[in-house]
């Protein structure tokens, strides 16, 4: 039969959201969903802008976690440009 675990509300973000986790009969996670019940439309701010503007724009969207938005956006820009970060640079950044 399985079971469903619901975390509602998620309080570590700005806005309204919940998490639902579906467990199978043996108690392992079969599915997990993050539901954001609020539409803000921030994507519209970025339409027509160049990709290299995204880290600075996305960092300003949320006052709670600007660094995570900046890093995610910068990593996306790296992927767009097929940038390969050298292993030594990754090691230095992790320390």
């Amino acid at each position: 039969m399985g079971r469903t675990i619901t975390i509602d509300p998620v309080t570590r973000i700005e806005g309204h959201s919940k998490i639902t986790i579906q467990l199978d009969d043996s108690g392992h996670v079969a599915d997990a969903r993050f539901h954001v019940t609020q539409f803000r439309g921030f994507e519209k701010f970025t339409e027509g802008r160049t990709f290299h503007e995204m880290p600075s724009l996305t960092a300003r969207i949320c006052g709670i976690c600007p660094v995570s938005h900046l890093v995610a956006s910068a990593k996306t820009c790296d992927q767009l440009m097929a940038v390969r970060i050298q292993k030594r640079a990754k090691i230095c950044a992790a320390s």
Side-chain angles (χ1 to χ4, degrees):
M1 277 303 266
R3 158 180 123 147
T4 301
I5 299 171
T6 303
I7 303 167
D8 186 15
V10 174
T11 58
R12 300 293 296 178
I13 68 164
E14 184 67 26
H16 305 285
S17 66
K18 73 177 181 176
I19 297 171
T20 55
I21 303 167
Q22 300 288 332
L23 302 178
D24 62 18
D25 292 335
S26 60
H28 294 101
V29 175
D31 190 32
R33 304 251 174 164
F34 176 63
H35 309 269
V36 178
T37 58
Q38 174 178 16
F39 175 74
R40 295 184 179 172
F42 289 131
E43 297 83 2
K44 287 292 186 186
F45 294 151
T46 63
E47 284 182 6
R49 307 303 286 255
T50 58
F51 77 93
H52 59 81
E53 294 178 273
M54 294 306 107
S56 61
L57 287 174
T58 56
R60 288 168 174 78
I61 286 174
C62 177
I64 295 173
C65 48
V67 174
S68 59
H69 292 297
L70 184 138
V71 170
S73 185
K75 285 183 174 186
T76 301
C77 290
D78 289 345
Q79 289 177 350
L80 285 171
M81 297 298 293
V83 172
R84 300 284 183 242
I85 306 299
Q86 295 178 5
K87 183 178 180 181
R88 181 70 187 144
K90 288 181 182 180
I91 293 170
C92 292
S95 21

